[in-house]
Amino acid sequence: MAGATSRAASARTILLRPGADLTGFRDAARRLAAEGVPPEAVTFSAESAPSLFGDDASPGSDAPLVLPRAVTSLIPSVVPHLDPERYGLLYALIWRVLHGERHLMEVASDPLVHRLTRMAKAIGRDLHKMHAFLRFRRVEDPAGERYVAWFEPDHHILEAAAPFFVRRFAGMRWTILTPEGRAVWDGDTLAYGPPGSRAEVPEGDGFEAGWQTYYETTFNPARVNPKAMRAEMPKKYWRNMPETAAIPALLRGAADRTAQMIEREPTLPARREPARAVAAMADQDPKSLDELNAIIRKTEPLVPGATQAVLGEGPIGATVAFVGEQPGDQEDLKGRPFVGPAGQLLARAMAEAGIDREASYLTNAVKHFKFTLRGKRRIHEKPTAGEVSHYRWWLDRELDFVAPKLVVALGATAVLALTGKAIPITRARGPFRFDRLDNRFQGYITVHPSYLLRLPDEAKEEAYAAFITDLKRIATLGAELAA
Ligand code: URA
């Protein structure tokens, strides 16, 4: 006990990584608390240190800190705060909770609790702004399409904010640049790197009009309150947001538009877009795949432009069904799935892995081609989560009729359609249980063949080999399930 006291009395400096060093702080707090070092004997410094423990080289303790949930959930919400005192305040809170004030977080009037709660709220607001106001611009590099965004958060929130964008834009390759660092998502892995600059982001990617239209259609004139709007969307962010060009005109026309909106109100449909697939089926009860397909064929594409619906292909009762994303340009023109470049690559790989394409069922999560026109070229555009959910009801019914033993999700959109979740392929690649579909069939997740086409040449060979390995496992699994 005396030893602990004398150790506690000596001043300690904890060096943490600049920015938000959650792991470093947790480790330090655990060790300091285990050694009985009181908060007044500790200085946390996050200015320059690459190493975790500064002059505190003690081996410490790996014993977990047992803290109330209100404290453990507060810590990650405060660590990104700009305030240099954040770590010291958090450690003071932990100390008090461990020393007789177990329910301290319930005392909202306590100055420490009050201050930390306000800091956590500030982080929540900053995260919300980053999630809502960050805008990607499209760039082309030798590996294909990539999206880049510049954002200046108020706090050190890049690492806390990035997983949201992984979930939201899992199928895109993107980079978020901030003055403190960058987050890079390559479709599989999230990595962090050095600071960026606004100059790395192209000024216009031709999609400004799209953002503007989007904003105009989501803008609700009846709710408009310019002061609140400026507080919610500070002007600092406007420069990165193409749609803000529309704001002055929208504000000027708000009163007129409100009146028009009220007038229109009774005629607005009660249900919104994603219910359309279900609505189209509401008074129909297809008894076979042919009947289901006839209905899909007659249904308008969600995004206008497609030549026709592209339906699944292959025998009913096929052991293995492959689900892709959506038809491409060739598929749209020919009305058949997987006949374009990605389909040809898939066919070659299937043959190499010993899978009979004719005996397999091939379909897509989304049944219509979605594209943007670039000159005369129709450039594939990834379906949104809303569009995927619109088509999902059909996919479920289709799989009911085909009744495969094994369903293979090719890429992130198929995973989203089959599981309802944006799961990174790297995390889930391999055999998988599609719980949402009542475990009716086994699942397997792998990359989409178009991903292989987009890779730089030096990476293609290895990725193709890994794809073949997946297909061979699928072949084995299929044979076992069919036996
Ligand atoms: N990509 C898909 O996901 N499906 C097709 O049919 C073609 C390309």
Side-chain angles (χ1 to χ4, degrees):
M1 195 61 211
T5 313
S6 71
R7 177 141 186 88
S10 62
R12 304 278 281 274
T13 301
I14 304 295
L15 301 185
L16 295 171
R17 202 160 45 81
D21 189 355
L22 183 58
T23 314
F25 172 72
R26 280 196 184 123
D27 285 350
R30 191 172 52 238
R31 287 161 188 246
L32 292 165
E35 291 172 29
V37 183
E40 55 276 15
V42 188
T43 307
F44 289 92
S45 169
E47 294 318 307
S48 54
S51 82
L52 280 186
F53 266 83
D55 66 4
D56 176 23
S58 71
S61 154
D62 284 334
L65 270 185
V66 183
L67 295 167
R69 192 201 286 256
V71 179
T72 52
S73 62
L74 182 78
I75 293 170
S77 313
V78 170
V79 162
H81 203 281
L82 217 53
D83 190 332
E85 292 182 16
R86 62 195 181 281
Y87 295 120
L89 296 171
L90 281 172
Y91 186 58
L93 178 84
I94 291 170
W95 181 265
R96 285 175 59 189
V97 167
L98 293 175
H99 291 82
E101 295 182 78
R102 188 101 195 132
H103 301 288
L104 179 57
M105 281 302 292
E106 288 160 30
V107 190
S109 59
D110 181 276
L112 179 60
V113 173
H114 180 67
R115 182 162 167 197
L116 286 168
T117 310
R118 277 190 30 215
M119 288 165 81
K121 283 199 179 134
I123 296 303
R125 280 195 300 276
D126 208 23
L127 281 170
H128 165 73
K129 290 199 162 62
M130 186 157 176
H131 293 160
F133 303 152
L134 180 140
R135 294 290 178 266
F136 286 108
R137 310 259 176 167
R138 185 165 42 208
V139 293
E140 294 278 342
D141 65 16
E145 211 169 55
R146 204 160 61 82
Y147 290 81
V148 187
W150 166 252
F151 198 81
E152 293 168 78
D154 290 336
H155 299 275
H156 309 294
I157 57 165
L158 179 61
E159 290 179 32
F164 166 89
F165 295 101
V166 170
R167 288 193 298 278
R168 192 82 178 269
F169 302 108
M172 286 169 26
R173 295 189 308 128
W174 52 253
T175 301
I176 297 173
L177 304 164
T178 76
E180 278 191 351
R182 67 185 62 206
V184 183
W185 172 251
D186 65 0
D188 279 329
T189 315
L190 181 61
Y192 296 96
S197 77
R198 188 196 292 276
E200 289 178 67
V201 182
E203 265 307 321
D205 63 351
F207 198 56
E208 275 71 11
W211 282 118
Q212 204 157 317
T213 310
Y214 168 77
Y215 188 71
E216 282 169 10
T217 51
T218 55
F219 178 84
N220 182 346
R223 294 253 180 89
V224 74
N225 170 347
K227 208 165 143 211
M229 192 168 133
R230 261 173 228 121
E232 160 69 6
M233 193 198 282
K235 280 203 155 174
K236 144 178 172 185
Y237 302 112
W238 289 25
R239 269 181 71 188
N240 303 325
M241 301 173 67
E243 70 270 35
T244 50
I247 289 177
L250 286 169
L251 286 177
R252 277 196 302 277
D256 282 355
R257 288 191 59 201
T258 307
Q260 286 167 14
M261 202 173 86
I262 292 166
E263 215 168 280
R264 275 205 317 267
E265 191 66 36
T267 60
L268 285 175
R271 309 273 313 256
R272 281 166 53 85
E273 214 58 282
R276 267 181 32 195
V278 180
M281 311 292 294
D283 53 352
Q284 325 209 23
D285 183 18
K287 299 281 185 301
S288 66
L289 187 58
D290 282 347
E291 283 184 32
L292 177 76
N293 283 343
I295 295 167
I296 300 176
R297 224 178 256 120
K298 277 194 284 183
T299 308
E300 285 294 309
L302 195 53
V303 179
T307 313
Q308 56 194 314
V310 175
L311 306 168
E313 212 174 77
I316 289 185
T319 305
V320 186
F322 289 84
V323 180
E325 183 192 75
Q326 67 172 342
D329 180 71
Q330 297 290 312
E331 287 81 10
D332 173 72
L333 296 174
K334 298 194 175 125
R336 297 186 52 207
F338 289 102
V339 290
Q344 285 162 23
L345 178 73
L346 178 66
R348 175 156 75 89
M350 284 169 87
E352 221 172 292
I355 298 175
D356 181 356
R357 183 180 158 130
E358 300 305 313
S360 309
Y361 188 81
L362 297 178
T363 191
N364 285 298
V366 167
K367 308 296 189 219
H368 291 105
F369 179 38
K370 179 181 165 194
F371 58 89
T372 42
L373 269 181
R374 209 174 293 159
K376 290 198 175 139
R377 286 176 63 214
R378 303 192 303 168
I379 309 294
H380 160 277
E381 239 197 273
K382 195 176 156 54
T384 63
E387 286 152 15
V388 171
S389 95
H390 166 90
Y391 285 93
R392 215 160 146 205
W393 193 85
W394 285 328
L395 178 65
D396 287 1
R397 297 305 305 267
E398 185 182 6
L399 293 175
D400 276 342
F401 288 125
V402 177
K405 299 267 189 305
L406 178 64
V407 175
V408 180
L410 298 168
T413 301
V415 173
L416 178 64
L418 290 163
T419 66
K421 294 182 191 128
I423 307 171
I425 303 294
T426 31
R427 236 184 52 213
R429 193 168 183 167
F432 194 84
R433 289 178 74 80
F434 290 122
D435 293 342
R436 192 182 67 80
L437 299 174
D438 311 326
N439 295 319
R440 289 200 301 277
F441 21 69
Q442 295 276 320
Y444 197 101
I445 292 175
T446 184
V447 294
H448 192 284
S450 65
Y451 157 79
L452 302 173
L453 291 174
R454 289 196 309 265
L455 283 174
D457 283 347
E458 60 277 15
K460 271 200 170 89
E461 204 177 312
E462 197 182 323
Y464 183 73
F467 188 53
I468 296 290
T469 304
D470 274 344
L471 291 179
K472 285 186 174 160
R473 288 180 75 190
I474 288 161
T476 309
L477 208 55
E480 281 167 16
L481 291 167

